[in-house]
Amino acid sequence: MSFRARLTLAYTGFFALALLLLGCGIYFSVRQSLFAGVNRDLWAATRQVRAIFNAGGLEPRRTSSGELGLYLRSEFIKIFNNPNLGAQVFNVQGDLLNSTPNLDGREIPLADGALALGPEDVSTGHLTTREFDGLRMESLVTPLVLDSNNRVVGFLQISRPLKDVEQTLSTLTWILLGGGAIALMLSAAGAALLSSRALKPIDEITRTAQGIARAEDLGQRVPVPPHQDELHRLSVTINDLLARLENLFTTQRRFVADVSHELRTPLAAMQGNLEVLDRGGLKNPDLAAEAVADMRRETARLIRMVNDLLLLAQSDARVQIRNEPLELDTLMLEVYRELRPLAGEVSLRIGSEDQVTVTGDRDRLKQALLNLGVNALQYTPAGGVITLGLEQRDGFALLTVADTGVGISEEDLPHVFERFYRADPSRSRYSGGAGLGLSIVRRVAEAHNGYATVASIPGRGSTFAIWLPLPPGTSPAEPEPMPAEAPELAPATSWAREA
Ligand code: ADP
């Protein structure tokens, strides 16, 4: 059963239940008030007949033994005149003595159990509902008692047909049933209409999603309803999700293509060298040595690339980085010492050197800093200067590697942190890079809740920076000037931050 049908059914079901409860409530309260009215009528008539008897219906008479007593004159009941109510007088044996003219001689029998009434039952009476002559009626029997000796001398029975009450109740029942049925039909139609309207946007979202799944086109988006409601939020959320998935798939596809491409080059080179050796190269020691050296270089490059990929994969999978207190100034000195032997004709210096301690993963941060240092050495010609710096700024520890090298063009700048991106592929492939070094820097920075930035002017140099959040409670250091080369390279606006 569709959700729409279930919704309509549930709504109609609840409405029907509410109607039923309301209908029952109305029916029973009306019924009760009608019967209370009947009882009031019966008691009022009883009081009137008693008044008639008290006024003249008692007659002093002598008994056969000569005693004087009061006797009830039952014919006085005929004075009582009400078209809706019939009154009867019975003697103590239960025989009918007299009745009002409107009964036309109909002898309604004395109600069962009435003979047991005593003088004390005058005010409570005996109430019965029964059927007589095809007519339902309600009768009230009260004992007639002579005040002089407190003796029951007969019974007064007032009867009232219930025809009008029953008619009212049956009309009410029909009104409730008919009205209820119409209300139920209207509400079911309304619920069906409303639920189909409410679910229409969901249908559209479903259709679009199915279209996306069929066409495998993550570029499509679901329509966003104009009103800022739950469905609007759902559509926006689905579209966000699609955008992220699209981005992820594109990156993934490009990544796989890039990896295959990057692996193919050294493998092809090695295959070429093996063929050289196969075709007699082994007999020529110079050729063999050259081929082996070539293969060693390519193998080293492959190993480096695979290691880089592994590291990236780990940071993608959010492998837990270690969280230990880490003196960044010591780390920077260590990196400086490791880079110095590689510097050759380039001058490697330490610029600002705050003492900063953060919590983080020593090995990963060292690798990131080394990547920046090696890049700087690679892209700085002889006679250039590379400056390593460490300072506190805006609640961050700022590690910088500034060089006076070739710089990066404006078009390349936003992309250098992407995987396999090389500003000048021919040049850096020659130098052995696969375009993974900076993506590792970015990943490491992000894994420490920080980020990596770059500022560069082509032909004059680049400044790469890793920003690491300072642990809470770190006192801000005195502001220090940037490394000598930095100000001209890094005006505040030119910091390109990888999003
Ligand atoms: P690679 O292994 O190719 O160096 P990276 O991710 O480390 O890969 O760097 C990506 C690209 O960014 C490089 O190919 C290079 O063009 C550019 N780049 C990185 N560092 C520097 C730098 N200090 N100066 C100039 N260009 C740089």
Side-chain angles (χ1 to χ4, degrees):
M1 195 193 283
S2 71
F3 182 56
R4 180 175 309 159
R6 271 186 290 154
L7 205 66
T8 309
L9 213 66
Y11 178 80
T12 315
F14 278 122
F15 190 67
L17 189 71
L19 269 184
L20 187 74
L21 291 177
L22 185 73
C24 286
I26 291 177
Y27 179 86
F28 284 108
S29 54
V30 168
R31 185 177 189 277
Q32 210 207 340
S33 97
L34 287 175
F35 275 96
V38 168
N39 282 357
R40 266 198 309 277
D41 287 354
L42 291 174
W43 276 108
T46 303
R47 276 192 297 274
Q48 278 177 27
V49 175
R50 284 175 174 283
I52 290 168
F53 279 136
N54 283 338
L58 294 173
E59 172 193 36
R61 221 195 277 163
R62 245 176 233 291
T63 60
S64 46
S65 56
E67 280 174 47
L68 195 67
L70 274 176
Y71 284 86
L72 189 73
R73 292 179 62 184
S74 61
E75 71 274 11
F76 263 67
I77 198 156
K78 296 188 192 300
I79 298 171
F80 176 70
N81 183 14
N82 184 322
N84 274 334
L85 297 156
Q88 297 164 290
V89 185
F90 295 85
N91 65 17
V92 283
Q93 284 79 36
D95 305 322
L96 180 65
L97 299 178
N98 246 313
S99 55
T100 45
N102 61 351
L103 285 179
D104 289 336
R106 271 194 295 264
E107 295 188 10
I108 306 170
L110 188 64
D112 288 344
L115 288 179
L117 291 172
E120 69 282 357
D121 298 317
V122 170
S123 56
T124 50
H126 176 74
L127 209 60
T128 5
T129 310
R130 58 200 160 141
E131 202 165 304
F132 173 76
D133 222 2
L135 204 68
R136 275 177 68 71
M137 61 177 62
E138 177 109 338
S139 302
L140 173 66
V141 182
T142 45
L144 291 166
V145 181
L146 284 185
D147 289 339
S148 53
N149 52 10
N150 201 25
R151 196 162 52 89
V152 175
V153 292
F155 297 101
L156 171 65
Q157 173 169 275
I158 313 279
S159 301
R160 182 196 188 288
L162 292 175
K163 205 170 163 195
D164 57 337
V165 172
E166 279 171 349
Q167 243 166 17
T168 310
L169 283 179
S170 112
T171 312
L172 180 69
T173 308
W174 283 113
I175 288 174
L176 287 176
L177 284 179
I182 291 171
L184 212 58
M185 280 190 293
L186 280 178
S187 91
L193 192 80
L194 280 180
S195 57
S196 84
R197 262 206 193 171
L199 295 175
K200 199 167 156 235
I202 292 187
D203 271 352
E204 272 177 38
I205 292 173
T206 313
R207 264 199 301 281
T208 316
Q210 281 169 344
I212 292 170
R214 262 199 305 276
E216 292 192 4
D217 176 11
L218 287 173
Q220 287 187 44
R221 295 290 176 265
V222 299
V224 179
H227 304 292
Q228 302 273 337
D229 52 14
E230 292 87 344
L231 290 172
H232 178 94
R233 282 203 298 280
L234 176 69
S235 313
V236 169
T237 311
I238 290 179
N239 283 343
D240 279 355
L241 194 74
L242 285 173
R244 293 187 68 149
L245 279 178
E246 188 186 15
N247 190 17
L248 203 74
F249 279 127
T250 318
T251 321
Q252 200 74 12
R253 220 173 280 157
R254 208 178 62 208
F255 181 70
V256 172
D258 287 346
V259 169
S260 337
H261 181 76
E262 292 300 329
L263 289 176
R264 213 169 47 187
T265 317
L267 288 173
M270 290 213 286
Q271 195 182 28
N273 280 317
L274 281 172
E275 268 169 30
V276 168
L277 291 177
D278 214 21
R279 290 193 198 144
L282 279 173
K283 287 175 197 137
N284 180 341
D286 284 348
L287 207 59
E290 198 182 317
V292 167
D294 238 21
M295 286 202 288
R296 188 171 289 138
R297 208 169 38 246
E298 293 302 340
T299 318
R301 196 170 138 199
L302 273 179
I303 291 173
R304 202 164 51 240
M305 199 193 311
V306 171
N307 280 343
D308 282 354
L309 283 174
L310 186 68
L311 201 87
L312 277 175
Q314 280 176 345
S315 58
D316 276 353
R318 301 211 182 279
V319 169
Q320 208 59 41
I321 57 154
R322 284 207 298 276
N323 256 338
E324 53 204 10
L326 180 57
E327 288 173 359
L328 288 180
D329 41 321
T330 319
L331 185 82
M332 189 175 70
L333 275 178
E334 222 170 275
V335 170
Y336 171 76
R337 266 186 235 115
E338 285 187 26
L339 289 176
R340 210 169 36 187
L342 309 174
E345 312 256 308
V346 175
S347 152
L348 186 67
R349 298 179 191 162
I350 296 235
S352 54
E353 195 192 354
D354 284 355
Q355 285 195 337
V356 188
T357 303
V358 295
T359 49
D361 191 316
R362 180 184 180 75
D363 293 342
R364 300 258 161 116
L365 279 171
K366 186 174 166 185
Q367 164 149 27
L369 211 52
L370 272 172
N371 282 1
L372 293 182
V374 170
N375 274 356
L377 286 171
Q378 243 167 41
Y379 300 107
T380 307
V385 181
I386 297 173
T387 315
L388 306 183
L390 168 63
E391 60 180 294
Q392 287 186 34
R393 194 188 290 183
D394 305 331
F396 282 87
L398 177 59
L399 282 160
T400 50
V401 178
D403 64 57
T404 58
V406 295
I408 304 165
S409 71
E410 222 170 287
E411 310 88 72
D412 291 325
L413 206 58
H415 304 292
V416 288
F417 286 102
E418 289 170 16
R419 285 171 194 186
F420 296 110
Y421 191 85
R422 287 186 299 238
D424 181 355
S426 58
R427 184 186 56 191
S428 70
R429 182 167 297 151
Y430 177 73
S431 67
L436 292 173
L438 289 181
S439 34
I440 289 175
V441 172
R442 185 184 77 178
R443 283 295 177 173
V444 169
E446 283 171 356
H448 287 80
N449 297 321
Y451 52 95
T453 56
V454 58
S456 184
I457 297 173
R460 291 179 65 179
S462 320
T463 301
F464 282 88
I466 298 176
W467 303 70
L468 301 172
L470 289 171
T474 312
S475 57
E478 287 296 306
E480 278 204 34
M482 280 286 282
E485 294 77 8
E488 61 182 42
L489 288 173
T493 50
S494 78
W495 287 98
R497 181 183 164 182
E498 180 62 17

